Amino acid sequence: MNTPQAGALGRTLRWLRDSQVARQFGWLAMAKIVQGVASLAAALAVARALGPVEFGALSLAIAIASFVAMIAALGLEQIATRELVAADSGARTLALLRRLRWSGALLGAAALLAVSVLPQVHALGASHLVLILALLPLAQVGDLAEWRLIASGHGRRVAMAVVAVSPLAALVRVVLAFGGFGVVAFAWVLVAEWALRSLLLSLLARGLGTQSGEGVATVALRDALELLRESTPLLLAGIAVFAYMRIDQFMIAAMLGQQQVGLYSAVVTLAELPLVVPTLLLRAALPTLTRQSMDNPLTRDRTLVRLMGVSVYLHLAMSVVLALLAEPLVVLAYGEAYRGAAEAFRLQVLAAPLVALGVLSSGWLVLERRTGHALRRTVLGAVANIGLNFWLIPAYGIAGAAMATLAAQALATWLADAAYRDTRGLFMMKTRALWPGNWGRT
């Protein structure tokens, strides 16, 4: 049946197919698929080899290190992409970003060293793992090269680096798992994987058209502070997102014990696989959206509505299928010992359409220089998630933690935009994204 909605959907899909966004997304998605498949296979082998208790300790250590490494990036990714597109990767902009990125990495490494000696971390059996993972923020500084490549439209080079490193790292993990190695070995592999990836990305980003002398370009403190002023709300928003996506693990550890953390961490890894799509889509689209924002903001908004609509329906379809197959999928992936996590997995995957809206809409906030709202809405979600965890985890176990996360996502990615006058336009864009017939309207 040829309805207006079907016609709008077809036009949007044809536009995506022919656009620069689609080409960039295609390369990034291909790389992420390879990385996801490799990482999932390795995670399954590691989870089975270590068992819920040791896998729980490793997951907690990685969660702590990933949290600090995220802070070390200073919330710069989307801001950096916008600035690199606008400045055509000028030497001064690049030198400024490089110094900010390295400063954050050094502070992150120092913070993890301090965390590793905390009695609370030692009691969880993760202090020695956190000590090793203190190198992670330094190993990840190559993401600046990745931002440059994406801003310049070279997603293929990013894909090359990921495809070269991820399967190799996964193979090493599988070999170590079957060889009976302990958790320390897997912590070292994670650091090595990111260091090798950073090295390859830096080599691939050389000669992107920057002026000579980029390493000695003058960097004004005022410019650094201005970038940090814009990126800080995004950084704090990332912390808040981490709170309602990861704080569950720490609260489960305190309330239910380490074995339940292992169960929950395993299915979180599985449930988050589809969530890379909106992140990749925004990364691929942000250079195009930045140029459209400078030329015609209405065109940019139509593009963003189309992207949000396609992503929501894609994730809704995936969520329904995964929710229906939750128990057999969990048992197939992790074994009978993890069957008790199936209900939590079923609830976790239902948040995917909401996450898609939240991730893609953050691009609008960056381009409109309203990054403060990103912090505002995610803080609301984090507070709601923590509060609900105190009620739902004792009552429903790890399924209760998944319920809290789902409710927090609805608040942060949907209702929060409607509550403020300066973002009600964004709320209306999200509403239009739910109806394909409205995707071409402004």
Side-chain angles (χ1 to χ4, degrees):
M1 184 175 180
N2 189 17
T3 64
Q5 290 78 13
L9 178 60
R11 288 192 298 273
T12 297
L13 292 176
R14 287 192 295 273
W15 169 80
L16 283 172
R17 180 195 63 195
D18 298 332
S19 68
Q20 174 66 27
V21 174
R23 289 189 289 273
Q24 185 106 305
F25 174 76
W27 283 112
L28 296 177
M30 183 271 290
K32 203 65 178 181
I33 289 170
V34 171
Q35 180 185 13
V37 171
S39 298
L40 179 60
L44 298 180
V46 173
R48 285 174 177 266
L50 296 179
V53 175
E54 285 195 313
F55 186 69
L58 179 62
S59 297
L60 282 173
I62 292 175
I64 293 169
S66 298
F67 175 59
V68 175
M70 177 201 66
I71 296 175
L74 304 177
L76 284 170
E77 179 176 354
Q78 295 178 33
I79 301 293
T81 301
R82 186 194 70 196
E83 293 299 309
L84 290 168
V85 170
D88 194 25
S89 301
R92 190 164 174 274
T93 299
L94 186 57
L96 172 59
L97 291 170
R98 180 179 290 118
R99 293 181 190 183
L100 287 173
R101 186 67 187 90
W102 271 101
S103 297
L106 290 169
L107 290 173
L112 282 171
L113 288 175
V115 168
S116 69
V117 300
L118 292 177
Q120 296 87 341
V121 175
H122 179 75
L124 294 171
S127 57
H128 60 303
L129 300 174
V130 174
L131 181 62
I132 296 168
L133 294 175
L135 295 170
L136 191 61
L138 297 172
Q140 291 182 343
V141 293
D143 55 11
L144 175 56
E146 184 173 346
W147 303 342
R148 292 178 63 197
L149 289 165
I150 291 172
S152 303
H154 292 290
R156 183 173 66 89
R157 298 188 192 180
V158 176
M160 289 168 57
V162 174
V163 170
V165 173
S166 294
L168 176 62
L171 179 61
V172 171
R173 289 187 178 94
V174 171
V175 170
L176 292 177
F178 281 105
F181 284 78
V183 291
V184 169
F186 298 106
W188 280 113
V189 170
L190 181 62
V191 172
E193 177 184 2
W194 278 101
L196 179 57
R197 177 170 168 170
S198 288
L199 176 62
L200 287 178
L201 286 168
S202 298
L203 292 174
L204 291 168
R206 296 179 66 181
L208 283 180
T210 55
Q211 294 89 351
S212 60
E214 64 179 18
V216 294
T218 301
V219 176
L221 177 61
R222 181 184 66 253
D223 295 332
L225 292 176
E226 177 61 25
L227 279 188
L228 289 175
R229 184 189 67 79
E230 279 200 78
S231 69
T232 296
L234 293 176
L235 169 61
L236 296 176
I239 293 172
V241 168
F242 179 90
Y244 68 77
M245 296 295 287
R246 287 290 183 268
I247 197 67
D248 308 50
Q249 296 178 31
F250 298 99
M251 297 183 75
I252 289 169
M255 297 180 188
L256 304 178
Q258 198 160 310
Q259 182 177 12
Q260 293 299 306
V261 176
L263 294 175
Y264 191 78
S265 300
V267 294
V268 164
T269 301
L270 202 59
E272 288 182 351
L273 288 177
L275 302 184
V276 302
V277 174
T279 302
L280 294 179
L281 192 55
L282 178 60
R283 294 177 71 192
L286 196 54
T288 296
L289 292 170
T290 300
R291 296 183 186 98
Q292 290 179 345
S293 189
M294 293 186 289
D295 296 336
N296 188 343
L298 292 179
T299 300
R300 177 207 63 196
D301 289 350
R302 283 195 295 268
T303 299
L304 189 54
V305 168
R306 287 170 169 169
L307 295 175
M308 287 192 294
V310 169
S311 191
V312 164
Y313 279 101
L314 174 64
H315 284 82
L316 182 61
M318 287 191 293
S319 295
V320 171
V321 172
L322 291 173
L324 291 173
L325 299 176
E327 188 166 328
L329 277 176
V330 169
V331 174
L332 177 64
Y334 292 108
E336 191 64 34
Y338 289 83
R339 182 183 291 273
E343 187 61 29
F345 174 72
R346 182 176 290 111
L347 292 165
Q348 286 166 349
V349 297
L350 293 177
L354 295 169
V355 174
L357 279 179
V359 169
L360 288 167
S361 65
S362 67
W364 185 89
L365 297 175
V366 168
L367 296 172
E368 287 291 313
R369 300 182 185 272
R370 295 179 183 175
T371 53
H373 180 66
L375 172 61
R376 190 165 56 192
R377 70 185 187 182
T378 47
V379 165
L380 286 173
V383 170
N385 189 48
I386 293 171
L388 289 170
N389 274 337
F390 280 113
W391 168 40
L392 294 172
I393 290 177
Y396 301 100
I398 60 175
M403 293 178 199
T405 299
L406 181 59
Q409 288 286 2
L411 176 62
T413 63
W414 184 257
L415 297 177
D417 292 341
Y420 300 95
R421 184 173 61 182
D422 59 341
T423 56
R424 283 185 191 134
L426 180 58
F427 174 76
M428 295 307 298
M429 288 169 60
K430 291 178 179 179
T431 303
R432 289 198 301 274
L434 300 179
W435 303 99
N438 294 328
W439 289 354
R441 300 178 185 177
T442 56

